[in-house]
């Protein structure tokens, strides 16, 4: 056909349609710009090393409860958490290893929740929707601080 | 944006330069969104992935091994988080909001087209709907690649390859094949415009990849 549009023309037309149909929502762009303020410069990063969703699909089928297990690791500190969802919302139950008291902060876009880990390194608290990260400050003076990778449940 | 420039922006942002952060967000925002959407995530899930990627990036600024490849890092992170969400959502209640496939081009009455005269507007709308219908009839892999390449800030092939976890060399040929299929589907649709769409066309779905 003489008037057959070429690849680039087709692509540009499709790009226009998608631009109009599915742009990045404005509020998200604002949230992305704001993400910078969550940056910590003096904390060690605990990276995600285990996620029950990624590790064991069979368990998801077996499990009746809506429970997610996650593990974050920094040098010398492991943070294991279990997130359970129910009609009343979501809750985090966590365990620090090695065990010991610490200040734990749940960080979410909508705000922060301050918790205390007990002598055995256990803590628990509510979790709102959306991505979250934990900040743990341990040691005698709470001088050592670790933040986990952000994650979506 | 040159790779070197992107690398410098990452280093500057890591040292506290918020203006550099802004440039990075504006440059790569549409790529991160496109990757999440390419995994057929709903608006709510795609929003979670998008926000998670930027929050994580902020925390990783000073730790990224190849700052000049920041676009590929963001695309890879968006892919992994999208897959994580897809897996966790398979057991959760369905969320009733729109995925990419549910979107419909606006009618000629929409404000965007109100400036055009009625006949011209109708033609524009019909063309957009025809192309969109053809896009949605493409095999899933084609829809995914094209949605990523259609990010309003056009990604490089390296970034698209990171988003899909495929070799860079495969992007060009796959793009060409997918666009060819898209054109063919559009021709089919316009050739059949006077007749109602048969069910057969709708049912072909993803199997079409094999007959390409």
């Amino acid at each position: 056909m003489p008037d057959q549009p070429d690849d680039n023309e087709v692509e540009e037309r499709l790009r226009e349609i998608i631009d109009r149909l599915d742009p990045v929502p404005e509020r998200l762009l604002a949230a992305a710009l704001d993400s910078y303020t969550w940056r910590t410069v003096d904390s060690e990063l605990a990276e995600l090393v285990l996620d029950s969703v990624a590790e064991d699909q069979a368990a998801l089928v077996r499990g009746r409860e809506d429970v997610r297990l996650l593990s974050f690791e920094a040098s010398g500190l492991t943070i294991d958490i279990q997130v359970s969802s129910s009609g009343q919302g979501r809750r985090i139950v966590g365990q620090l290893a090695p065990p010991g008291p610490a200040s734990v902060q749940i960080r979410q876009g909508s705000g922060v929740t301050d918790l205390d880990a007990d002598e055995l390194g256990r803590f628990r608290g509510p979790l709102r929707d959306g991505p979250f990260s934990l900040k743990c400050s341990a040691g005698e003076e709470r001088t050592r601080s670790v933040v986990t990778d952000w994650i979506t449940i | 944006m040159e790779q070197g420039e992107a690398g410098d922006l990452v280093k500057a942002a890591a040292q506290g330069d918020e203006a550099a952060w802004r440039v990075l967000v504006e440059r790569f925002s549409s790529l991160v969104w496109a990757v999440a959407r390419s995994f057929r995530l709903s608006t709510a899930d795609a929003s979670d992935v998008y926000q998670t990627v930027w929050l994580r990036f902020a925390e990783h600024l000073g730790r990224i091994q190849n700052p000049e490849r920041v676009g590929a890092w963001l695309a890879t992170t968006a892919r992994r988080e999208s897959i994580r969400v897809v897996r966790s959502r398979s057991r959760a209640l369905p969320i009733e909001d729109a995925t990419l496939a549910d979107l419909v081009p606006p009618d000629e009455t929409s404000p965007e087209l109100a400036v055009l005269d009625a006949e011209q507007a109708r033609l524009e709308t019909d063309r957009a709907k025809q192309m969109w219908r053809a896009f949605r009839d493409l095999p899933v892999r084609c829809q995914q690649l094209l949605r990523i390449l259609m990010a309003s800030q056009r990604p490089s092939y390296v970034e698209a390859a990171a988003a899909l976890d495929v070799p860079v060399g495969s992007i060009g040929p796959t793009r060409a094949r997918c666009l060819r299929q898209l054109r063919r589907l559009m021709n089919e649709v316009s050739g059949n415009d006077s007749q109602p769409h048969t069910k057969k066309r709708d049912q072909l779905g993803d199997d079409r990849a094999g007959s390409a």
Side-chain angles (χ1 to χ4, degrees), chain A residues 1 4-15 17-25 27-29 31-41 43-45 47-48 51-55 57 60 65-68 70 90 107 130-131 133 147-153, chain B residues 12-18 21-22 25-26 29-30 33 37 43 47-52 54-56 58-61 63 81 84-85 87-89 91-92 100 103-106 112-113 127-128 131-132 135 146-147 149-152 154 175-176 179-180 182-183 186-187:
Chain A
M1 257 183 274
Q4 184 81 331
D6 69 12
D7 280 357
N8 292 330
E9 256 179 81
V10 171
E11 185 170 314
E12 279 322 299
R13 276 165 59 190
L14 185 59
R15 186 186 307 279
I17 293 173
I18 289 180
D19 263 354
R20 205 168 59 199
L21 217 54
D22 192 29
V24 180
R27 65 175 180 87
L28 287 187
L29 188 62
L33 291 170
D34 276 354
S35 306
Y36 194 65
T37 60
W38 287 101
R39 194 172 61 105
T40 54
V41 285
S43 298
E44 208 184 322
L45 183 66
E47 297 198 53
L48 182 66
D51 178 351
S52 57
V53 155
E55 303 297 323
Q57 291 235 42
L60 298 179
E65 284 176 53
D66 214 357
V67 172
R68 180 102 162 247
L70 300 160
R90 289 169 170 159
R107 309 190 298 161
S133 152
V147 292
T148 69
D149 264 333
W150 287 82
I151 185 147
T152 302
I153 292 293
Chain B
Q15 279 156 26
D17 182 347
E18 194 162 357
W21 174 259
R22 173 173 285 273
V25 170
E26 284 168 355
S29 171
S30 65
W33 181 249
R37 282 305 222 178
T43 302
S47 300
D48 279 348
V49 167
Y50 177 95
Q51 292 184 70
T52 303
W54 288 108
L55 286 160
R56 193 176 292 188
E59 205 63 79
H60 278 258
L61 272 171
R63 302 172 167 103
E81 289 310 301
R84 201 188 294 284
V85 166
R87 285 182 178 166
S88 68
R89 288 298 180 266
R91 67 205 159 115
L100 189 59
L103 301 175
V104 178
E112 294 97 322
L113 296 172
R127 282 234 307 266
M131 183 175 243
W132 189 243
F135 175 78
L146 291 180
R147 178 62 189 91
L149 290 176
M150 296 305 118
S152 47
R154 195 184 172 144
R175 167 185 175 271
L179 288 173
R180 201 160 60 230
L182 180 67
R183 276 209 305 259
M186 284 167 62
N187 288 338

Side-chain angles (χ1 to χ4, degrees), chain B residues 24-212:
Chain B
L24 287 165
V25 170
E26 284 168 355
R27 170 62 183 82
F28 294 110
S29 171
S30 65
L31 172 62
V32 172
W33 181 249
V35 174
R37 282 305 222 178
S38 81
F39 278 91
R40 313 185 130 198
L41 297 185
S42 71
T43 302
D45 284 344
S47 300
D48 279 348
V49 167
Y50 177 95
Q51 292 184 70
T52 303
V53 169
W54 288 108
L55 286 160
R56 193 176 292 188
F57 179 45
E59 205 63 79
H60 278 258
L61 272 171
R63 302 172 167 103
I64 291 176
Q65 281 194 336
N66 300 299
E68 68 284 355
R69 287 173 52 94
V70 57
W73 189 95
L74 288 165
T76 301
T77 306
R79 165 170 52 80
R80 289 185 181 148
E81 289 310 301
S82 296
I83 291 169
R84 201 188 294 284
V85 166
V86 166
R87 285 182 178 166
S88 68
R89 288 298 180 266
S90 63
R91 67 205 159 115
L93 292 171
I95 292 170
E96 290 179 357
D97 65 352
T99 66
L100 189 59
D102 300 321
L103 301 175
V104 178
D107 273 314
E108 58 264 39
T109 50
S110 68
E112 294 97 322
L113 296 172
V115 289
L116 304 173
D117 76 60
E119 177 60 13
Q120 205 186 346
R122 196 185 59 77
L123 278 172
E124 272 304 307
T125 307
D126 286 352
R127 282 234 307 266
K129 284 188 171 161
Q130 178 198 349
M131 183 175 243
W132 189 243
R133 200 180 301 143
F135 175 78
R136 282 166 34 180
D137 280 349
L138 284 171
V140 170
R141 282 304 269 187
C142 279
Q143 289 188 37
Q144 197 175 19
L145 173 68
L146 291 180
R147 178 62 189 91
I148 289 162
L149 290 176
M150 296 305 118
S152 47
Q153 297 274 328
R154 195 184 172 144
S156 68
Y157 281 8
V158 170
E159 288 156 6
L164 291 165
D165 200 20
V166 296
V168 172
S170 74
I171 299 290
T174 310
R175 167 185 175 271
R177 197 180 66 239
C178 292
L179 288 173
R180 201 160 60 230
Q181 274 183 273
L182 180 67
R183 276 209 305 259
R184 197 166 58 233
L185 286 167
M186 284 167 62
N187 288 338
E188 272 177 35
V189 172
S190 60
N192 289 338
D193 250 3
S194 52
Q195 300 155 22
H197 292 113
T198 58
K199 237 186 163 178
K200 187 161 165 269
R201 245 200 65 240
D202 294 335
Q203 286 171 341
L204 282 175
D206 300 338
D207 299 327
R208 208 168 285 196
S211 61

Side-chain angles (χ1 to χ4, degrees), chain A:
Chain A
M1 257 183 274
D3 61 344
Q4 184 81 331
D6 69 12
D7 280 357
N8 292 330
E9 256 179 81
V10 171
E11 185 170 314
E12 279 322 299
R13 276 165 59 190
L14 185 59
R15 186 186 307 279
E16 278 171 29
I17 293 173
I18 289 180
D19 263 354
R20 205 168 59 199
L21 217 54
D22 192 29
V24 180
E26 281 293 322
R27 65 175 180 87
L28 287 187
L29 188 62
L33 291 170
D34 276 354
S35 306
Y36 194 65
T37 60
W38 287 101
R39 194 172 61 105
T40 54
V41 285
D42 52 355
S43 298
E44 208 184 322
L45 183 66
E47 297 198 53
L48 182 66
V49 291
L50 184 143
D51 178 351
S52 57
V53 155
E55 303 297 323
D56 186 4
Q57 291 235 42
L60 298 179
V61 182
R62 282 200 308 271
R64 268 182 299 156
E65 284 176 53
D66 214 357
V67 172
R68 180 102 162 247
L69 302 172
L70 300 160
S71 187
F72 300 91
E73 232 172 65
S75 60
L77 180 69
T78 302
I79 305 167
D80 289 323
I81 61 169
Q82 172 180 315
V83 178
S84 48
S85 309
S86 69
Q88 281 79 50
R90 289 169 170 159
R91 291 191 66 76
I92 286 186
V93 177
Q95 170 74 62
L96 305 176
S103 304
V104 178
Q105 192 176 57
I106 305 175
R107 309 190 298 161
Q108 297 199 265
S110 45
V112 301
T113 309
D114 288 305
L115 308 170
D116 286 312
D118 65 16
E119 298 296 319
L120 299 174
R122 299 174 303 190
F123 61 93
R124 58 175 63 223
L127 186 66
R128 289 181 293 269
D129 285 341
F132 74 94
S133 152
L134 299 178
K135 183 173 185 177
C136 298
S137 305
E140 296 270 313
E141 308 282 325
R142 299 286 190 262
T143 43
R144 184 180 182 212
S145 98
V146 169
V147 292
T148 69
D149 264 333
W150 287 82
I151 185 147
T152 302
I153 292 293

Side-chain angles (χ1 to χ4, degrees), chain B residues 2-21:
Chain B
E2 297 291 321
Q3 282 205 343
E5 192 191 337
D8 290 343
L9 286 167
V10 173
K11 286 174 209 155
Q15 279 156 26
D17 182 347
E18 194 162 357
W21 174 259

